[in-house]
Amino acid sequence: MLIAGGAAALVIVIVLTVVVARALGPHRYLGPLKPLDGAVSAVAFSPDGKLVATASAVGTDTGQVKLWDAENGRPKPRKNSDSQGRIDVPAQVMSLAFSSDGDTLAAGLANGSAHVWSLEEGRSQVIGTPSSPATPTSPVDPYPSYPLPYPSIPLPTPSIPLPFPSGLVPTDLEPDFERSADRPSKAGAPAPLPPKAPEGSAFVAFVGDGEQLAVAAGEKVEVYEVASGKPRQSLDSSGTQVRSVSVADDGKLLAAGRADGSIQVWDLASGRATVTLKGHLDDVGAVAFHPDDELLASGSADGTTRLWKLPAGTETAMLTGHNQEVRSLAFSPNGKALVTGGSKSPVRLWDVGRRTASARLDGHDQGVTSVAYSPDGRTVIAGGTTAHAWLSDVSSLPS
């Protein structure tokens, strides 16, 4: 009887292994981009998928953008960079964005300015006025000490100790919210990034065909003409610090995450604020439009990711897979999947249609600051506080 029972249990484990492996599909890390000189604060793919840009902290007051060949993971020098693809900037980089034609790269800096480079022609310019934002003093905790009042959500992938492919484990929810300030840093760790961007930091997003650039800094969003660097439109955030920005693919709407937990959406043609989204309990450090422009995702320091239906601004889902602040998110090109990164190591993938978690990608020892999909949807890049930018093949995961 014992032998029969043991055999039955073994059969069950094998069946579960096959079922889960088939559901999740094979997954492999393509490897980290290195060497990097500090913690990674931002990542971006070029529209053709051939180039990757990363931003790293160099010390506490300066930053560096580095260009990579997405095919082989090697540095890709351009006219603006040195022989290792590096471009030095005078402050830490908070965000990166490529224009739709891939020729122009923009970076939003912690000093409130944006730097723009024409990669083909080698031209560069500074947009906006650099400032000297106050640096948060340590060890002040920037996040309120409240538990997350959200129920656990049943997930489709079981949490069982099975031999999953490299780095891929079934998704599971962490029950306790842990603030960044509570985590000890590891010995020999690279220059740390602040728990959240300093006040007055700039965040960038191209508008439409890339001839205009939205720069969110302080309490307003300015839309600039890229060629001349002149401001064309100013959007007021009503006295609230802007912490993230995204522009819809059709260039009609702009969304800005704010320090008070709200998200403001503007119609760019009229410059009018159309809706204010409220639900988050803390700083909204990440926003992204769905490819059909009718859905918006937001990530917050309250540990949640929320989905909003536009133009009404109705909250349609609250995703609770992170136990610390959600610092970055991105939709897959087909809009079926969402990837999120937070100050706890796992990168999470979500099924947008079902509003459920689908997979977890491990790879960073401490935290993830920025995530992005490749244009073909086959690769996810995640930058972290351990000076690594990991490329992961997710082509066989559910989407």
Side-chain angles (χ1 to χ4, degrees), residues 26 56 64 90 100 122 126 154 156 164 167 169 177 186 244 263 273 324 355:
S56 300
Q64 186 179 89
S100 58
V126 178
F164 292 95
V169 298
F177 187 81
K186 294 187 176 182
S244 53
I263 303 146
Q324 291 179 5
R355 308 296 201 255

Side-chain angles (χ1 to χ4, degrees), residues 277-349:
L277 311 178
K278 295 183 178 180
H280 285 296
L281 305 179
D282 205 345
D283 188 296
V284 179
V287 288
F289 279 95
H290 188 271
D292 70 6
D293 299 334
E294 294 183 357
L295 192 69
L296 182 75
S298 59
S300 169
D302 67 10
T304 69
T305 300
R306 299 180 191 240
L307 299 179
W308 312 82
K309 185 68 175 177
L310 299 175
T314 306
E315 182 181 323
T316 64
M318 179 176 65
L319 311 176
T320 57
H322 293 278
N323 74 343
Q324 291 179 5
E325 61 269 21
V326 178
R327 301 188 70 157
S328 183
L329 47 79
F331 283 104
S332 61
N334 64 11
K336 294 181 179 180
L338 176 74
V339 60
T340 59
S343 293
K344 187 77 173 180
S345 64
V347 172
R348 304 229 175 231
L349 279 81

